[in-house]
Amino acid sequence: MSVHVERLASHIGDVGGIPIQRALPNKARRIIGAWCFADHAGPATLPPERRMNVGPHPHTGLSTFSWMIEGEILHRDSLGSEQVLRPGQVNLMTAGHGISHSEESLSDRIHLAQLWIALPDAERERAPSFQHFAELPRLSQGGFEATLLVGEFGSQRSPVPSFTPLLGVDLVADGPADAVLALQPGFEHGLMLLEGEVEAAPAGHDAVEVITPGTLLYIGPGCTSVELRCTVASRLLLLGGEPWSQPPLLWWNFVGRELAEMQAWAMDWAREDGGRFGVVEGYPGPRIAVPPVPALRKP
Ligand code: MN
């Protein structure tokens, strides 16, 4: 059986003053499993006056998933959480029906992946929560050091919870490496290059794909394994999950199902008290204003 493979080019942007490459959503593909947003921020070295600062802003219907590679970020949210995120750690903020948060860089050096996980219908109105994971399972495979961010991989299971079957693995090689990774055939997957260059050979696909930063390789369901080879120091994320029959709607910082609810959320955030999103205490700056409502459109 042949496996469907797509190469998706990231678009370049800027979040809070640092350069980012956005792999998802992509015009050709909006979601992989429940992974509905994937930013690669940095690596960058910025002087103190240009550090990444993202003022208070609201979220709904998703979990934000921050994976720190270099540098430190201070997270604050409307639940009163205050947490420094350091390399090798994950912050998971589940917005449910509404939360707001801010992010401040505490270091000149910054390198992280910022991902969003869409919540399924049954969970998207749940109460907000915040969790910090200081340590995650690690394993070695064929020259790659793997950190299990979410889901099950090898014989390990990540402590990071998810509401839908999901996989996230950070893979890093200091030099030449060659590994065959077993995949869940019921999942679709994405390989998101962060550094270096990797050759990927998905089982059931008749070509070897060379991927570099700024390219996400989509591997459709039915694939049982992928061989990864690199000759230079490289880092990539393996993302996966059960395909969604209907991708959610994304607008600004909201994940929902209909434009009408986006309108209501935008009006809520425009209120002085932040409405359902509450207030972030302690951030030394203004909160981020909702874009003009007429900008509402299908992504
Ligand atoms: Mn955010």
Side-chain angles (χ1 to χ4, degrees):
M1 192 185 88
S2 81
V3 164
H4 180 68
V5 169
E6 291 171 17
R7 302 175 65 91
L8 304 174
S10 302
H11 28 251
I12 308 292
D14 175 293
V15 171
I18 59 165
I20 61 103
Q21 293 190 306
R22 180 159 300 160
L24 291 175
N26 188 288
K27 267 201 181 122
R29 191 155 293 278
R30 285 155 58 184
I31 191 165
I32 295 176
W35 299 105
C36 63
F37 183 96
D39 267 6
H40 176 209
T45 304
L46 300 168
E49 66 276 12
R50 286 188 49 220
R51 280 182 183 171
M52 183 189 93
N53 282 304
V54 183
H57 60 278
H59 285 290
T60 53
L62 55 74
S63 299
T64 61
F65 181 101
S66 305
W67 164 238
M68 204 71 198
I69 299 165
E70 292 177 81
E72 292 186 358
I73 282 180
L74 172 62
H75 161 96
R76 302 179 207 262
D77 65 42
S78 53
L79 299 173
S81 315
E82 236 188 77
Q83 179 67 55
V84 176
L85 181 65
R86 298 191 169 87
Q89 301 181 340
V90 162
N91 276 355
L92 182 75
M93 183 183 79
T94 295
H97 79 272
I99 196 170
S100 54
H101 73 142
S102 63
E103 290 157 297
E104 294 158 66
S105 171
L106 305 177
S107 55
D108 293 352
R109 188 73 180 159
I110 191 102
H111 189 193
L112 74 154
Q114 292 218 303
L115 308 168
W116 292 0
I117 302 164
L119 297 179
D121 283 333
E123 305 291 347
R124 68 189 193 99
E125 292 292 341
R126 65 185 291 112
S129 63
F130 174 79
Q131 289 167 281
H132 173 73
F133 298 89
E135 279 190 54
L136 296 158
R138 303 186 66 161
L139 56 135
S140 302
Q141 208 169 339
F144 287 95
E145 289 297 315
T147 305
L148 183 47
L149 305 178
V150 56
E152 286 178 53
F153 183 73
S155 55
Q156 310 254 32
R157 164 175 275 281
S158 170
V160 178
S162 66
F163 295 105
T164 53
L166 204 63
L167 178 69
V169 184
D170 177 270
L171 295 154
V172 59
D174 292 336
D178 186 338
V180 177
L181 311 181
L183 301 178
Q184 281 259 19
F187 282 13
E188 56 186 350
H189 293 90
L191 294 170
M192 181 176 169
L193 251 285
L194 304 184
E195 291 178 297
E197 181 179 296
V198 169
E199 289 181 4
H205 179 59
D206 56 10
V208 173
E209 303 286 343
V210 178
I211 39 180
T212 52
T215 300
L216 183 143
L217 190 73
Y218 172 82
I219 304 170
C223 189
T224 52
S225 68
V226 61
E227 181 170 8
L228 301 177
R229 281 187 299 267
C230 65
T231 54
V232 296
S234 299
R235 181 187 285 268
L236 71 161
L237 297 181
L238 167 63
L239 305 174
E242 272 183 6
W244 284 37
S245 54
Q246 178 73 40
L249 194 59
L250 267 67
W251 180 73
W252 194 43
N253 293 306
F254 304 140
V255 174
R257 302 294 183 270
E258 291 167 16
L259 287 174
E261 56 188 8
M262 305 280 174
Q263 290 269 9
W265 297 334
M267 285 171 65
D268 228 16
W269 181 244
R271 286 167 44 161
E272 200 116 314
D273 66 358
R276 63 166 63 203
F277 305 105
V279 171
V280 179
E281 304 284 358
Y283 180 80
R287 63 186 190 148
I288 297 177
V290 68
V293 173
L296 279 177
R297 61 189 167 78
K298 292 211 177 207

